[in-house]
Amino acid sequence: MKHNPLPPLLLAVLLLTTVGCSTDKQSVNGGTGTSGSIEVGKNENKRDVKLRIAWWGGQARHDYTLKLIELYEQKNPGVKIDAEYAGFDDYWKKLAPQAAANQLPDIIQMDISYIAQYGTKEQLEDLTELANNGVLDVSSAAPETVRTGQVGNKLYGIPLGINAMGATFDAQMLKEAGIASIPDNWTWTDLEQISKRMKSHGKVLDHMRFDQFFPYYLRTQGQHYFSLDGTSLGYTDSHYFVDYFTMYKKWYDAGYMHGWDKQALSKLTPEENPVAVGDGFMTMAWSNQFITLEQAANKSLEIVGLPGPHAQKGLYLKPTMLFSIPKSSKMKVEAAKFISWFVNDLDANKLIKGDRGIPISAKIKQGLKPTLTVEDQKVYDYVEWAERNSSMMEPPDPPGAVEVSKMLRDMQEQILFRKLSVEAAADKFMNEANTILAKNKK
């Protein structure tokens, strides 16, 4: 595919470096008028550049990312990187006060559901210039992939990989219960029957995350979670909410899933997943989570598309996660260099092993082919299948989306604990969500 460059440079990014024993300053300017500087010390053993990086994930991701940081520091003796990491929910709880205090790490692992919220609050740097001048090298990535990091015409994040949702399951466990296979065109009814059979063998279905699978269900019905302009929900008939959560509550009441009180305490790491623990037969997860889940479970797993009908309308490819640079960083150029290395270095990606998605660089994908394990190949094959059996991703979630999804979680919890009827929760969610999103109207 021919690469079309991002919009032309409006300003040049100047990187003034010093060598030897000079006491000059290094200007670090991301192109927005904000700048910072560091003294290049006379002592050759002194670290010249200090960066902070933050990410979420399970223990396996923490371990290899720390190895990556060590590798980068070895290749760049003047750089020292401090790491901050947590599980998904705790990560955002920690990031919010840092943002409020204007003390965000120099490199932030960003999710597509948060990028508009942080970007439109002027907390993220527009990376367009750094990408155009090659400091952030995205020349080997498809332009449409790079554009998934845009909000409006500003590039707030560099995708680290692409992935798709899928059903990861223990095939051996299913076979022992008399279920030989799961077809590509399976349905919610099939999943219900499988769950019923597996319950009789003492195995559960992992809870489906509220802010991922209700939107997926809406897409299969030709509806959307948010309107295109982000000023309201994307559906107007509450029966979609009622249909989905009535189905969910039926399965929950039948004992196909763990009690919600147990789920609410989970940090959502691979090590805590029911499939990894051994009492779960299936989890609905992103494809990039497959390897770490398999490692946590210490057994072979399989992955298949999501249940339908109309699964092709519901399924989509998305950036697994992105790297962003905050406006408050005084080391934007150095942060951009690390991101560029992360995306384009073959040795680095041999350590990542697809955990952050199928690499966006065509050169890296080609270079990794000889190193792929059987498990790696399963993920590559699944994403290739998903590319042929999915629909276009919607724009990044609008400002207010996080608040809306937190409310959706609360509605699900109240439904499962029988504090609200599904119908009452549907009306409450629609009214309050639309009120939150209406603030986006210009």
Side-chain angles (χ1 to χ4, degrees), residues 142-164:
E144 58 266 28
T145 299
V146 178
R147 282 194 289 267
T148 61
Q150 288 185 331
V151 178
N153 61 355
K154 294 184 177 181
L155 184 64
Y156 286 132
I158 299 298
L160 302 182
I162 58 170
N163 66 348

CSV table of all heavy atoms in Angstrom, one decimal, residues 142-164:
chain,number,residue,atom,x,y,z
A,142,ALA,N,0.9,1.7,7.8
A,142,ALA,CA,-0.2,2.2,6.9
A,142,ALA,C,-0.7,3.5,7.5
A,142,ALA,O,-1.0,3.6,8.7
A,142,ALA,CB,-1.3,1.1,6.8
A,143,PRO,N,-1.0,4.5,6.6
A,143,PRO,CA,-1.5,5.8,7.0
A,143,PRO,C,-2.8,5.6,7.8
A,143,PRO,O,-3.0,6.4,8.8
A,143,PRO,CB,-1.7,6.5,5.7
A,143,PRO,CG,-0.8,5.9,4.8
A,143,PRO,CD,-0.7,4.5,5.1
A,144,GLU,N,-3.7,4.7,7.4
A,144,GLU,CA,-5.0,4.6,8.1
A,144,GLU,C,-4.7,4.0,9.5
A,144,GLU,O,-5.5,4.3,10.5
A,144,GLU,CB,-5.9,3.7,7.4
A,144,GLU,CG,-5.4,2.3,7.1
A,144,GLU,CD,-4.7,2.1,5.7
A,144,GLU,OE1,-4.2,3.2,5.2
A,144,GLU,OE2,-4.8,1.0,5.1
A,145,THR,N,-3.7,3.3,9.7
A,145,THR,CA,-3.3,2.8,11.1
A,145,THR,C,-2.9,4.0,11.9
A,145,THR,O,-3.3,4.1,13.1
A,145,THR,CB,-2.3,1.7,11.0
A,145,THR,OG1,-2.8,0.6,10.3
A,145,THR,CG2,-1.9,1.2,12.4
A,146,VAL,N,-2.0,4.8,11.4
A,146,VAL,CA,-1.5,5.9,12.1
A,146,VAL,C,-2.6,6.9,12.5
A,146,VAL,O,-2.7,7.4,13.6
A,146,VAL,CB,-0.4,6.7,11.3
A,146,VAL,CG1,0.1,7.9,12.1
A,146,VAL,CG2,0.8,5.8,11.0
A,147,ARG,N,-3.6,7.0,11.6
A,147,ARG,CA,-4.7,8.0,11.8
A,147,ARG,C,-5.6,7.5,12.9
A,147,ARG,O,-6.4,8.3,13.4
A,147,ARG,CB,-5.5,8.2,10.5
A,147,ARG,CG,-4.8,9.1,9.5
A,147,ARG,CD,-5.8,9.6,8.4
A,147,ARG,NE,-6.1,8.5,7.5
A,147,ARG,CZ,-5.4,8.2,6.4
A,147,ARG,NH1,-4.4,9.0,6.1
A,147,ARG,NH2,-5.8,7.2,5.6
A,148,THR,N,-5.5,6.3,13.4
A,148,THR,CA,-6.3,5.9,14.5
A,148,THR,C,-5.9,6.6,15.8
A,148,THR,O,-6.7,6.6,16.8
A,148,THR,CB,-6.3,4.4,14.8
A,148,THR,OG1,-5.0,3.9,15.0
A,148,THR,CG2,-6.8,3.6,13.5
A,149,GLY,N,-4.8,7.2,15.8
A,149,GLY,CA,-4.3,8.0,16.9
A,149,GLY,C,-4.7,9.5,16.9
A,149,GLY,O,-4.3,10.3,17.7
A,150,GLN,N,-5.5,9.8,15.9
A,150,GLN,CA,-5.9,11.2,15.7
A,150,GLN,C,-7.2,11.5,16.4
A,150,GLN,O,-8.1,10.6,16.4
A,150,GLN,CB,-6.0,11.6,14.2
A,150,GLN,CG,-4.7,11.7,13.5
A,150,GLN,CD,-4.9,12.2,12.0
A,150,GLN,OE1,-5.9,11.9,11.4
A,150,GLN,NE2,-3.9,12.8,11.5
A,151,VAL,N,-7.4,12.7,16.9
A,151,VAL,CA,-8.6,13.2,17.3
A,151,VAL,C,-8.8,14.5,16.5
A,151,VAL,O,-8.0,15.5,16.7
A,151,VAL,CB,-8.7,13.5,18.8
A,151,VAL,CG1,-10.0,14.1,19.2
A,151,VAL,CG2,-8.5,12.2,19.6
A,152,GLY,N,-9.8,14.6,15.7
A,152,GLY,CA,-9.8,15.7,14.7
A,152,GLY,C,-8.6,15.6,13.8
A,152,GLY,O,-8.4,14.5,13.2
A,153,ASN,N,-7.9,16.7,13.7
A,153,ASN,CA,-6.7,16.6,12.8
A,153,ASN,C,-5.4,16.6,13.6
A,153,ASN,O,-4.3,16.9,13.1
A,153,ASN,CB,-6.7,17.8,11.8
A,153,ASN,CG,-6.7,19.2,12.6
A,153,ASN,OD1,-6.7,19.2,13.8
A,153,ASN,ND2,-6.6,20.3,11.8
A,154,LYS,N,-5.5,16.3,14.9
A,154,LYS,CA,-4.3,16.3,15.7
A,154,LYS,C,-3.9,14.8,16.1
A,154,LYS,O,-4.8,14.0,16.5
A,154,LYS,CB,-4.5,17.1,17.0
A,154,LYS,CG,-4.7,18.6,16.7
A,154,LYS,CD,-4.8,19.4,18.0
A,154,LYS,CE,-4.9,20.9,17.7
A,154,LYS,NZ,-5.0,21.7,18.9
A,155,LEU,N,-2.7,14.5,16.0
A,155,LEU,CA,-2.2,13.2,16.3
A,155,LEU,C,-1.8,13.1,17.7
A,155,LEU,O,-0.7,13.5,18.1
A,155,LEU,CB,-1.0,12.8,15.3
A,155,LEU,CG,-0.4,11.4,15.4
A,155,LEU,CD1,-1.5,10.4,15.0
A,155,LEU,CD2,0.8,11.3,14.6
A,156,TYR,N,-2.6,12.6,18.6
A,156,TYR,CA,-2.4,12.5,20.0
A,156,TYR,C,-1.7,11.2,20.5
A,156,TYR,O,-1.3,11.1,21.6
A,156,TYR,CB,-3.6,12.8,20.8
A,156,TYR,CG,-4.1,14.2,20.7
A,156,TYR,CD1,-5.5,14.5,20.5
A,156,TYR,CD2,-3.3,15.2,21.0
A,156,TYR,CE1,-6.0,15.8,20.4
A,156,TYR,CE2,-3.8,16.6,21.0
A,156,TYR,CZ,-5.1,16.8,20.7
A,156,TYR,OH,-5.5,18.1,20.7
A,157,GLY,N,-1.6,10.2,19.6
A,157,GLY,CA,-1.0,9.0,20.0
A,157,GLY,C,-0.5,8.2,18.8
A,157,GLY,O,-1.0,8.3,17.7
A,158,ILE,N,0.6,7.4,19.1
A,158,ILE,CA,1.1,6.5,18.1
A,158,ILE,C,0.7,5.1,18.4
A,158,ILE,O,1.0,4.6,19.5
A,158,ILE,CB,2.7,6.6,18.0
A,158,ILE,CG1,3.1,8.0,17.7
A,158,ILE,CG2,3.2,5.6,17.0
A,158,ILE,CD1,2.7,8.5,16.3
A,159,PRO,N,-0.1,4.5,17.5
A,159,PRO,CA,-0.6,3.1,17.8
A,159,PRO,C,0.6,2.2,18.0
A,159,PRO,O,1.6,2.2,17.2
A,159,PRO,CB,-1.4,2.7,16.6
A,159,PRO,CG,-1.8,4.0,16.0
A,159,PRO,CD,-0.6,5.0,16.3
A,160,LEU,N,0.6,1.3,18.9
A,160,LEU,CA,1.7,0.3,19.2
A,160,LEU,C,1.4,-1.0,18.5
A,160,LEU,O,2.3,-1.8,18.3
A,160,LEU,CB,1.9,0.1,20.7
A,160,LEU,CG,2.2,1.4,21.5
A,160,LEU,CD1,2.4,1.0,22.9
A,160,LEU,CD2,3.4,2.1,20.9
A,161,GLY,N,0.2,-1.2,18.1
A,161,GLY,CA,-0.2,-2.4,17.4
A,161,GLY,C,-1.7,-2.4,17.1
A,161,GLY,O,-2.4,-1.5,17.5
A,162,ILE,N,-2.2,-3.4,16.3
A,162,ILE,CA,-3.6,-3.5,16.1
A,162,ILE,C,-4.1,-4.8,16.6
A,162,ILE,O,-3.3,-5.8,16.7
A,162,ILE,CB,-3.9,-3.4,14.6
A,162,ILE,CG1,-3.2,-4.4,13.8
A,162,ILE,CG2,-3.6,-2.0,14.1
A,162,ILE,CD1,-3.7,-4.5,12.3
A,163,ASN,N,-5.3,-4.9,17.0
A,163,ASN,CA,-5.9,-6.1,17.5
A,163,ASN,C,-7.4,-6.1,17.2
A,163,ASN,O,-8.0,-5.2,16.7
A,163,ASN,CB,-5.6,-6.3,18.9
A,163,ASN,CG,-6.2,-5.3,19.9
A,163,ASN,OD1,-6.8,-4.3,19.4
A,163,ASN,ND2,-6.1,-5.6,21.2
A,164,ALA,N,-8.0,-7.2,17.6
A,164,ALA,CA,-9.4,-7.4,17.5
A,164,ALA,C,-9.9,-8.2,18.7
A,164,ALA,O,-9.2,-9.0,19.2
A,164,ALA,CB,-9.8,-8.1,16.2
